[in-house]
Amino acid sequence: MPRKPALSADASPWAPPGDRERERAAKREAVLRTAARFFNQKGFHATSLDDVANALNVTKPTIYHYFANKDEILFECTRRGLGAIIEASRKAAAQGGTAAERLRSVLMAYAMVMLDDYGICVARTQDHLLSEPSRKQFRALKREIDALIRQVVAEGAADGSLRIRDVRIATFTAAQALNGLGNWYNPEGPTSPEGAARQVVETLMDGLSAKA
Amino acid sequence: MPRKPALSADASPWAPPGDRERERAAKREAVLRTAARFFNQKGFHATSLDDVANALNVTKPTIYHYFANKDEILFECTRRGLGAIIEASRKAAAQGGTAAERLRSVLMAYAMVMLDDYGICVARTQDHLLSEPSRKQFRALKREIDALIRQVVAEGAADGSLRIRDVRIATFTAAQALNGLGNWYNPEGPTSPEGAARQVVETLMDGLSAKA
């Protein structure tokens, strides 16, 4: 025989546990996104958690409900940026086609992340801003991205679809050019984020020289 | 009739005025160069003038004899880097040859500065670190460099030696790739500074793709 439904308080002012989890996650994300924008605009040192709290209409203790300190917030922001690059690059690298085609996709995916708040935060965060344990993780994630791109570059040197003198230098050149995207891209200008990203990637792939 | 030589104190413990001027300038340079290295390694906020003074075997008041504050020192470091780029780029841009050849020279000159302490300092200094008046000058110098490169890029689009979709985007792509040089170049590695600079410039000019 089916059990009777448990006593329930339909009109409870508390959201059910699943909703509360989602709400908590959404609030945590809002803190990170807002903090990333402040860090990007004012710099990490000049940003106070009061700035972030005020922008979200809460008080600083509310922020501490989600994060231990400003360092953790900065690290989490960069982790989101680096994580997005890793995920998008892996997907792009796993596509078919020549290594040159895959590199184009990887660089495009990378470029799009670098135009996002978290990507800009990655580009502007210098190692020494982070605490020692965060810095280690930050560097490990960066090395993972570097290895992902190098792999495709090396494959392109092998399959002849890329002309590579030095895998390491080619990888750094491409990554650094893309890291700068958020520094000069103007969202109010005539070019879409995707259009700007595509042009930088085409420039890197095809070069500035006209071909004879 | 020749005048008798003025009375002179050959053994004066004070250096003659010209020497003193040069000595003062050399000491000022030593403060800047040392500060640039600290800023690059530890970051601007984490560097104290005591660090710089200790490294030079002097006390902080000696530093204040040459500079009003840490902001002035940072700005002067970046001014040396930006000034060196402007000077080298102007010289390279004034050479003969196609715009593509001149762009190659300009980018090479730019790259070499970016491997120097002052160039690295330029790449790592975000606008918000500087005081308002310094920031204005910092931005003006950067605009001057941007205009110099854009000019050669535009000439290359006109004379057909460069293949340019968008002068602004092409210029930023090249500049950002070079700005990053000091972040990854390892002076203890097998590649000379000039070799690394040349490979990045060749990559930018020729592209990563193998040509059909």
Side-chain angles (χ1 to χ4, degrees):
Chain A
M1 233 171 66
R3 290 201 304 149
K4 276 205 297 185
L7 278 177
S8 70
D10 278 338
S12 166
W14 287 276
D19 285 10
R20 261 182 282 158
E21 266 307 302
R22 271 189 296 279
E23 200 177 284
R24 185 180 160 83
K27 284 177 175 166
R28 207 168 175 274
E29 281 305 311
V31 171
L32 288 180
R33 177 73 65 180
T34 305
R37 287 179 184 159
F38 271 101
F39 295 155
N40 293 344
Q41 205 169 341
K42 295 178 68 173
F44 178 70
H45 286 291
T47 297
S48 73
L49 291 188
D50 282 317
D51 291 332
V52 179
N54 288 342
L56 291 164
N57 301 315
V58 298
T59 58
K60 205 155 65 173
T62 307
I63 305 281
Y64 285 123
H65 191 56
Y66 297 91
F67 298 98
N69 51 43
K70 208 167 70 157
D71 173 72
E72 189 189 340
I73 298 180
L74 176 63
F75 173 64
E76 284 298 322
C77 288
T78 63
R79 200 154 71 104
R80 269 163 182 66
L82 294 167
I85 296 174
I86 292 172
E87 198 186 332
S89 302
R90 276 214 191 110
K91 222 190 258 173
Q95 292 174 352
T98 63
E101 285 160 356
R102 279 177 283 132
L103 182 62
R104 218 175 270 268
S105 300
V106 168
L107 296 184
M108 191 63 199
Y110 189 144
M112 290 307 291
V113 177
M114 295 315 291
L115 287 164
D116 175 76
D117 299 322
Y118 294 136
I120 296 173
C121 194
V122 167
R124 299 200 180 168
T125 298
Q126 293 164 19
D127 282 25
H128 51 68
L129 283 182
L130 293 161
S131 70
E132 189 54 34
S134 301
R135 195 183 309 156
K136 272 193 188 149
Q137 292 185 68
F138 181 69
R139 286 187 181 161
L141 289 167
K142 282 192 159 183
R143 275 196 302 273
E144 198 174 332
I145 294 171
D146 186 51
L148 263 163
I149 304 179
R150 277 199 213 193
Q151 174 66 28
V152 184
V153 168
E155 285 166 18
D159 79 3
S161 62
L162 297 174
R163 184 180 43 175
I164 303 297
R165 287 174 195 77
D166 180 300
V167 171
R168 191 172 156 269
I169 292 183
T171 301
F172 278 125
T173 303
Q176 293 288 349
L178 300 179
N179 284 348
L181 255 172
N183 287 333
W184 60 261
Y185 177 70
N186 174 10
E188 274 135 47
T191 314
S192 71
E194 200 178 5
R198 192 161 299 282
Q199 286 202 40
V200 174
V201 173
E202 296 300 323
T203 300
L204 289 169
M205 295 300 292
D206 299 337
L208 293 159
S209 270
K211 297 307 163 300
Chain B
M1 228 168 81
R3 289 204 303 150
K4 276 204 296 184
L7 278 177
S8 68
D10 279 338
S12 166
W14 286 275
D19 285 10
R20 261 181 282 160
E21 267 307 301
R22 271 189 296 280
E23 199 177 284
R24 185 180 161 82
K27 284 176 175 166
R28 207 168 175 272
E29 282 305 311
V31 171
L32 288 179
R33 177 72 64 180
T34 306
R37 288 179 183 158
F38 271 100
F39 295 155
N40 293 344
Q41 204 169 342
K42 294 178 67 174
F44 178 70
H45 285 291
T47 297
S48 74
L49 291 188
D50 282 319
D51 292 332
V52 179
N54 289 341
L56 291 164
N57 300 315
V58 297
T59 58
K60 203 154 65 173
T62 306
I63 305 280
Y64 285 123
H65 190 56
Y66 297 92
F67 298 98
N69 51 45
K70 208 167 71 157
D71 172 74
E72 190 189 338
I73 298 180
L74 176 62
F75 173 64
E76 284 298 322
C77 288
T78 63
R79 199 154 72 103
R80 269 166 182 61
L82 295 167
I85 297 173
I86 292 172
E87 199 186 331
S89 302
R90 276 215 191 109
K91 223 190 253 173
Q95 291 173 352
T98 62
E101 285 160 357
R102 278 176 284 133
L103 182 62
R104 216 175 270 267
S105 301
V106 168
L107 296 184
M108 191 62 199
Y110 189 143
M112 289 307 291
V113 177
M114 296 315 291
L115 287 165
D116 174 76
D117 298 321
Y118 295 136
I120 296 173
C121 194
V122 166
R124 300 200 178 167
T125 298
Q126 293 165 19
D127 282 25
H128 50 68
L129 283 182
L130 294 161
S131 69
E132 188 55 34
S134 301
R135 194 185 308 156
K136 273 193 188 151
Q137 293 184 67
F138 181 68
R139 286 186 181 162
L141 289 167
K142 282 190 159 182
R143 277 196 302 275
E144 198 174 331
I145 294 169
D146 185 51
L148 262 163
I149 305 180
R150 276 200 212 192
Q151 173 66 28
V152 184
V153 169
E155 286 166 17
D159 79 3
S161 62
L162 297 174
R163 185 178 45 175
I164 303 298
R165 289 172 193 78
D166 180 300
V167 170
R168 193 172 154 268
I169 292 182
T171 301
F172 278 124
T173 303
Q176 294 288 350
L178 299 180
N179 284 347
L181 254 172
N183 287 334
W184 60 262
Y185 176 70
N186 172 11
E188 275 135 45
T191 314
S192 69
E194 198 176 8
R198 192 161 298 284
Q199 286 201 43
V200 175
V201 173
E202 296 300 321
T203 301
L204 288 169
M205 294 301 293
D206 300 336
L208 294 160
S209 270
K211 297 310 164 296

